[in-house]
Amino acid sequence: MVGALLLALTGCRDERISDDPTLRLVFSKDTVCFDTIFTSAEGQEPGATVQVMLYNPNKEAVLIDRVWQNSGQWFKVNVDGEAELSRLNQLQINGGDSIFIFVHVGIDEQHQANAVWVTDSLHFHLANGNTATLAMEAYGQDVTRIRTKNRRSDYATYEFTAEKPYLIYDTMVVQGALTIQPGARLYMHKGAGLYALGNVTAQGTLDNPILLCGDRLDNLFDSVPYRYAAGAWNGFYLQATQPQNYLLEYVDILSGNIGLYCMSECQGTLPKLTLNGCRIHNHALYGLVLLHVDAEVANTEISNCASYCVYCQGGKHDFIHSTIASYFGYTNIRIQSTGKEDVAAVCIYAADSTMTTATSFYNSIVTGYRSDEVTIKIDTAAQTYQGAFTGNYLKTDSTMQKLFPDNRYYEKTDTAMFVNNFYKYKEYIYYDFHLDSVSPARGIGDKENATPEDRDGVKRQDIIDAGCYQYRP
């Protein structure tokens, strides 16, 4: 009992404070750099918060006799549990010890289209004469908010422009024509979704793509952005009761529950979906779902979905120079709210006698970390599938190889298919489905079905690589 009391008294005893002018404090990071922050509007709760550590790496204790900010307008700080900096005039940090600093940024509406850069500095003056300074910086971006109290907003028609981003809080339903201009950015709140019941024209460009993603632009934790976590929003849905035309070019659809869900109840002529140069990546359920629609998918990456990357049922579907890669959760850090289902990257369901399904793949890649990444479900064991597969790299079983010999199939000796199919968060290396120099998908494409350029605008010439990315040294 006496020993425990002495230990407690010893632990509470302050160390001798040194006035040695060579002693300095160090931060866990010298600059707090926020990603773009949406500016505030009346009734909103804007901003983001990060944590920084202030360390005393010395053996002796040091005394902080003053803490202040240059401005304090945009950045609010909490130091060692104290938000009123004027009270921090005798703050001791023992040798080898540290304190927490929390930095919150909230920027008022700027009433302009372009982002505004704001800065501030937080200073710690030591009794020995030294000063430690933490720089803080962020971009504030005004947005157009779409929000209703009943969780659903309906529009006869709608046009998204590139003037400034959109922040969509609810289920947004467009009954008629939906237009999305090049460079438009749609940030979706948790649970929000976009539903189009009429024609859709979303024509981004290589230099000015269209973006649909979650609205969390800060980090889940250090070095891991929220955009790396799937399920940040609901999804983009195209629903038709009559033949419609859907044109999506250079549209990035990222980190939702579902990427693009296209379905119809049409009889006879089906709606037509055209995807070119798009990227559908990192979804908690499906990437691309085609139900009773015709589709042409070219130069498009569909990757990392917890369930099927592509599901086809009913209609005629052509995939040309597309990369379908199933590596959801293939990382050494747990950031996803769901695990990978044990299903193939591509499922073609042709077992419904009420509708015809014919899906063809040309010069494409279908792979992942399962042994079989292509599933074709048909009526009976005797029935053969009438689709076409030519010039592809496919990771699948021997049944496909017998039906469609004009492809390159996975072999155990295949290594380094892509630049990176594994997320290494400590090294800041994210997935990259461009082709590696020794990729078995190089040079296997069929010239007759080749597109003139790849998704990056690289010309396809004599050597035709499979997938949406032509190899570049």
Side-chain angles (χ1 to χ4, degrees):
M1 182 66 179
V2 174
L5 178 60
L6 289 174
L7 181 61
L9 291 173
T10 301
C12 293
R13 187 177 62 210
D14 287 340
E15 296 182 8
R16 185 183 71 85
I17 297 174
S18 174
D19 59 0
D20 183 348
T22 66
L23 302 185
R24 297 182 179 276
L25 300 178
V26 296
F27 297 99
S28 56
K29 56 178 70 176
D30 292 330
T31 303
V32 178
C33 299
F34 289 90
D35 285 328
T36 301
I37 301 299
F38 296 136
T39 59
S40 66
E42 185 178 355
Q44 306 297 330
E45 189 66 33
T49 302
V50 299
Q51 172 189 299
V52 183
M53 301 297 296
L54 179 59
Y55 296 102
N56 178 8
N58 310 289
K59 293 182 179 179
E60 300 86 355
V62 296
L63 182 67
I64 298 172
D65 58 17
R66 185 186 173 206
V67 182
W68 75 99
Q69 284 180 255
N70 285 359
S71 168
Q73 182 179 8
W74 310 119
F75 300 89
K76 306 301 180 185
V77 298
N78 184 298
V79 178
D80 199 34
E82 179 58 66
E84 184 58 55
L85 299 185
S86 61
R87 298 177 182 175
L88 296 169
N89 54 8
Q90 293 294 312
L91 178 60
Q92 177 178 329
I93 305 180
N94 292 334
D97 206 350
S98 60
I99 60 174
F100 287 96
I101 303 170
F102 293 94
V103 180
H104 177 84
V105 59
I107 304 173
D108 293 338
E109 199 163 10
Q110 300 296 300
H111 305 289
Q112 64 180 61
N114 295 329
V116 175
W117 189 48
V118 298
T119 64
D120 200 352
S121 294
L122 176 65
H123 307 280
F124 295 81
H125 186 266
L126 278 64
N128 67 5
N130 291 323
T131 301
T133 298
L134 178 67
M136 299 170 288
E137 56 188 43
Y139 282 92
Q141 174 67 64
D142 287 357
V143 294
T144 298
R145 286 177 166 82
I146 298 177
R147 183 175 198 165
T148 59
K149 294 182 179 180
N150 63 4
R151 301 294 298 165
R152 171 169 169 161
S153 52
D154 286 70
Y155 297 85
T157 62
Y158 203 90
E159 180 174 5
F160 292 100
T161 69
E163 182 181 4
K164 60 182 179 180
Y166 295 82
L167 182 53
I168 301 173
Y169 286 92
D170 311 304
T171 297
M172 181 177 180
V173 180
V174 181
Q175 302 286 344
L178 169 64
T179 303
I180 309 178
Q181 296 291 348
R185 291 161 290 168
L186 281 61
Y187 293 100
M188 318 292 289
H189 197 61
K190 187 73 173 179
L194 178 60
Y195 288 75
L197 309 186
N199 294 325
V200 175
T201 303
Q203 287 185 277
T205 66
L206 175 61
D207 297 324
N208 216 9
I210 293 166
L211 174 65
L212 287 82
C213 67
D215 67 346
R216 294 296 301 268
L217 305 184
D218 52 327
N219 285 355
L220 182 61
F221 43 86
D222 191 38
S223 83
V224 181
Y226 268 99
R227 67 178 180 271
Y228 289 0
W233 56 293
N234 193 357
F236 189 10
Y237 295 83
L238 311 178
Q239 297 183 349
T241 56
Q242 59 183 335
Q244 307 284 4
N245 288 310
Y246 308 121
L247 175 59
L248 281 71
E249 293 185 330
Y250 289 96
V251 179
D252 292 344
I253 306 174
L254 310 177
S255 301
N257 289 324
I258 292 170
L260 184 63
Y261 197 106
C262 187
M263 65 173 294
S264 83
E265 301 173 0
C266 298
Q267 303 295 325
T269 303
L270 300 181
K272 175 64 181 293
L273 169 68
T274 301
L275 293 180
N276 179 46
C278 296
R279 183 169 181 248
I280 301 173
H281 173 72
N282 191 38
H283 296 282
L285 290 170
Y286 314 112
L288 174 64
V289 176
L290 303 174
L291 291 179
H292 211 205
V293 297
D294 293 337
E296 181 177 300
V297 181
N299 281 336
T300 290
E301 176 191 318
I302 307 170
S303 54
N304 288 19
C305 301
S307 188
Y308 302 114
C309 288
V310 174
Y311 181 89
C312 302
Q313 181 179 349
K316 184 179 185 297
H317 318 122
D318 293 326
F319 289 82
I320 306 165
H321 275 296
S322 290
T323 296
I324 302 170
S326 183
Y327 293 95
F328 183 89
Y330 201 43
T331 177
N332 54 5
I333 180 173
R334 184 176 177 85
I335 58 175
Q336 305 292 8
S337 60
T338 185
K340 176 75 173 73
E341 293 183 29
D342 187 21
V343 296
V346 173
C347 178
I348 302 168
Y349 190 89
D352 188 343
S353 60
T354 65
M355 62 180 72
T356 300
T357 302
T359 300
S360 301
F361 281 76
Y362 304 103
N363 299 352
S364 294
I365 296 172
V366 182
T367 190
Y369 54 72
R370 291 179 83 252
S371 60
D372 184 5
E373 293 291 0
V374 181
T375 296
I376 301 177
K377 299 182 179 181
I378 55 180
D379 268 330
T380 65
Q383 183 180 355
T384 58
Y385 180 65
Q386 299 302 314
F389 287 77
T390 302
N392 306 290
Y393 179 91
L394 305 172
K395 189 176 183 182
T396 187
D397 60 18
S398 58
T399 303
M400 284 281 293
Q401 297 180 36
K402 292 177 182 178
L403 288 174
F404 307 107
D406 297 329
N407 299 282
R408 169 70 159 82
Y409 288 90
Y410 167 79
E411 298 176 0
K412 291 183 178 180
T413 55
D414 291 347
T415 58
M417 166 66 74
F418 302 114
V419 170
N420 192 55
N421 64 358
F422 188 88
Y423 171 38
K424 303 176 182 178
Y425 82 99
K426 289 185 178 180
E427 295 83 359
Y428 297 91
I429 299 175
Y430 194 65
Y431 305 99
D432 185 345
F433 296 113
H434 287 77
L435 298 183
D436 188 86
S437 60
V438 297
S439 174
R442 291 188 60 192
I444 67 169
D446 175 41
K447 290 185 179 181
E448 183 178 344
N449 294 299
T451 59
E453 296 181 348
D454 76 349
R455 185 174 182 269
D456 293 332
V458 176
K459 294 187 181 300
R460 302 186 192 275
Q461 298 178 346
D462 295 333
I463 298 176
I464 307 298
D465 298 335
C468 65
Y469 303 111
Q470 185 79 3
Y471 172 74
R472 286 186 293 176

